[in-house]
Amino acid sequence: MVELVWLIPALPLAGFAVLLLAGPRLGEPRAGWLATAASAGSFLFTLVTFGGLLGLESATRGGAGGRGGRSFTSTLFEWMPIGGLEVDAALLVDPLSMTMALFVTGVGTLIHLYSVGYMHGDPKYSKFFLYLNLFLFSMLMLVLGDNALATGTATAVSLLLLLAAAGKSAQLPLYVWLPDAMEGPTPVSAMVHAATMVTAGVYLLVRLNPVLDASDWAPLVIAIVGAATALFAALAAVAQHDIKRVLAYSTVSQLGYMFLAIGSGAYVAAIFHVVTHAFFKGLLFLGSGSVIHGLGDEQDMRRMGALRAVMPVTAATFIVGWLAIAGVPPLSGFWSKDEILLAAWEQHWLLWVVGLITALLTAYYMSRQTFLVFFGGQRWDDGAHPHESPATMTLPLVLLAGAAAIGGIMNLPLVGDWLVLEHFLEPVLAHPHHFTSGTGTKLGLALVAVVAALGGIAFAIRAWLQARIPTDKLEPALLENVFYVDSTISNFVGGPGTKAFEAAATADRRLVDGAVNGVARLVRMLGEAVRPLQSGYLRHYASGVAVGAIILVVWLALRGVS
């Protein structure tokens, strides 16, 4: 059944095409249901293809052994045949691409369903779903495309890959675009930050793991960038007031965790966290959207509070997401984050310390957000009339809460050999990572991580529920303004930057354009100088030949004399 892989991206593309041609005529809610059906169909065929891949693996193990049967390439057509080089438009089915495709289409379908209710009444309802289907198609082509090849000097290639992945997955210093992307509708935030786009950089680095393994020190650079990003964004999140902006910086921080795992050689842990993050962060974003929807587009957490009584389903599911991202066992976030911390410990203890502090901060700022939104006293206006969201929005919340709660079972190291994800991904890894720490060390580090998470939650309870710690000191302007990075960039671009750009443009006109124009003028002058030689008269050309022959004879005679 792996031959049906082409239907996975084809259905969202077909949904996009239909909505492009007939979206306004379909209107609300039919346009939304069509897009949701296209996404759900894509998820269905992902499951079918996944089953076919498992069948190939079973046949391989039952036959000649080896791993050749754990991948399948579906060639759609020959794209660019150039001599001996053939570039095909092809789709790759292997454990890594299927892992990504499963949660991209699964979580993506829930986001589509959620959007049917969330976008109710929007004047651009059909256009929203048109772009949502197109976005899903684009992400699927990225993870399924059979065109990722490794060449070249390993360290240089690895660092260039890091640069590309850092921009795509919002690592320092290329993170500033991601929090600003919060201006879009909440379902788009969930798609971009949880289910699809920002994890593309992580996918790229894991896909090209043989290149990283061949490098001497590039993985350490990746680990340092990831650890620094995780800590930086976690510090920024503790002082944000916009409910979605907290989650945006949280996403940057969790992406830093994934890069930390990659740099530590724990590729499975990175993908494990990609999947669990899709569950709990998708849940948290959609939960925040439910709150915003119920409060009439209010996003400031200082104008919320006590919403668990009027929005019980949203509150209950949001709490599951909070505990999962905080790393409280046995929820999914604990298992994936614990693997990353263990890998960091084995890479360098300083990386582990940064990761542990980040884990504590994560538990604190997510507890702060949960308490400000759903607990404490009412801070919203009496005229707000908050209410629970419709079933099209709460059903995805419930399903994602279930996945966030039990998603860790795909890679449990403590239950026999229940490393399902690790064994599944082994064929795509050049050198599968194996932890070297003993059982005692593993249990000790896990216990420390749990204590850190519970400590962050306990501190938040004392500060934001019991009011035993002055909260004004917990939100310094430095953190609220994200270390003034955005304002510094704005001031530079609006002042010296603009002048520098104008000076560069002037230099470009005078130097670059001047040089090009000068060469053109020189060529024209030379052409005009030699134009008389091309008179078109035969006698002139014969004279030229004669003169040239005489010069040649004289030159040869002189050489003979010397």
Side-chain angles (χ1 to χ4, degrees), residues 98-108 194-196 199 271 274-275 278-279:
M98 280 295 97
T99 300
M100 295 291 291
L102 279 169
F103 82 78
V104 166
T105 56
V107 177
T196 55
T199 58
I271 295 299
V274 165
V275 178
F279 295 152

Side-chain angles (χ1 to χ4, degrees), residues 67 70 209-210 213 264-268 422-423 425-436:
R67 294 175 177 172
R70 293 196 178 185
N209 67 89
D213 284 349
S264 301
Y267 303 113
V268 174
E422 180 174 324
H423 296 321
L425 291 177
E426 278 181 357
V428 300
L429 302 179
H431 301 95
H433 179 268
H434 297 290
F435 293 110
T436 58

